[in-house]
Amino acid sequence: TTTSDQTRKTKPEATKEQLAAFFEMAHHSLEVDKESLANKMADPLISNIYHCLATNNNDAFFKTFNELIALYFHGNIITSFTNGLKKLRNKPVNIFLGISRNIIKAWIVVKDDDEKAMHDIIMLESEINEQFRKNNFILSTTIIEESDFTATPTGYINWQLK
């Protein structure tokens, strides 16, 4: 089976109404973006995409588009991880996050001898990776006990559960 055959089999089929609504929304979004660009109020990433498209700079376009994709998946992984941690009975003492291209790195500090928290965090990591691995993004956790914690790891930020 060729890739195009596989794509045809898995491609979603939109109704006429869905396509009409999409194009109406896309047209509106383009008008808003056009005004934002003209008034120098557009998000820098979005502005860069339009400038790349207008100048046929495909390499820069795809680089910028990949950055946008990464932001999307990073945000979804962090949200899923944060929401999952909030549901745990045994909460972490500290959470530190770092981002590396397609990996969200989490440094988690738990209470000493809290095997339940460690197990639950590992299971949460597994669930999140099952969901996002197909898009080449993963969560990588390091879990340490409170008595072993000395300092914020380099390249990580302190993350609060709210």
Side-chain angles (χ1 to χ4, degrees):
T1 328
T2 66
T3 302
S4 61
D5 289 339
Q6 291 170 341
T7 302
R8 272 189 230 108
K9 290 178 186 174
T10 61
K11 138 183 130 164
E13 290 294 326
T15 65
K16 279 185 175 181
E17 293 79 16
Q18 288 172 318
L19 286 172
F22 167 77
F23 282 112
E24 181 66 31
M25 186 263 323
H27 176 74
H28 175 74
S29 292
L30 285 170
E31 287 297 323
V32 169
D33 288 350
K34 180 180 171 183
E35 288 302 314
S36 295
L37 287 165
N39 293 308
K40 299 190 183 314
M41 295 173 54
D43 177 273
L45 210 51
I46 299 300
S47 178
N48 194 29
I49 285 176
Y50 282 114
H51 286 279
C52 290
L53 288 170
T55 60
N56 287 325
N57 189 341
N58 293 333
D59 289 343
F61 167 76
F62 285 109
K63 181 180 183 291
T64 304
F65 197 69
N66 281 333
E67 290 172 19
L68 202 55
I69 291 168
L71 284 173
Y72 172 80
F73 284 109
H74 292 163
N76 285 339
I77 290 172
I78 291 169
T79 298
S80 294
F81 188 54
T82 301
N83 290 340
L85 289 174
K86 287 178 186 177
K87 293 177 185 174
L88 299 182
R89 194 170 63 192
N90 296 6
K91 307 276 189 276
V93 175
N94 281 312
I95 304 161
F96 301 93
L97 295 179
I99 297 175
S100 170
R101 194 171 172 114
N102 62 340
I103 301 171
I104 298 296
K105 301 177 288 183
W107 185 281
I108 310 294
V109 181
V110 298
K111 292 179 182 168
D112 290 344
D113 302 317
D114 191 346
E115 298 295 326
K116 174 82 171 123
M118 290 182 209
H119 174 268
D120 290 347
I121 292 167
I122 290 168
M123 294 306 296
L124 178 59
E125 175 185 11
S126 178
E127 290 170 19
I128 289 170
N129 285 336
E130 179 67 28
Q131 180 182 355
F132 291 99
R133 182 174 280 119
K134 65 184 173 277
N135 297 303
N136 296 319
F137 288 87
I138 63 166
L139 171 68
S140 175
T141 62
T142 301
I143 305 169
I144 64 168
E145 293 182 330
E146 198 169 17
S147 61
D148 295 328
F149 180 70
T150 54
T152 302
T154 305
Y156 288 71
I157 60 164
N158 194 318
W159 191 259
Q160 301 296 319
L161 291 179
K162 295 178 183 171

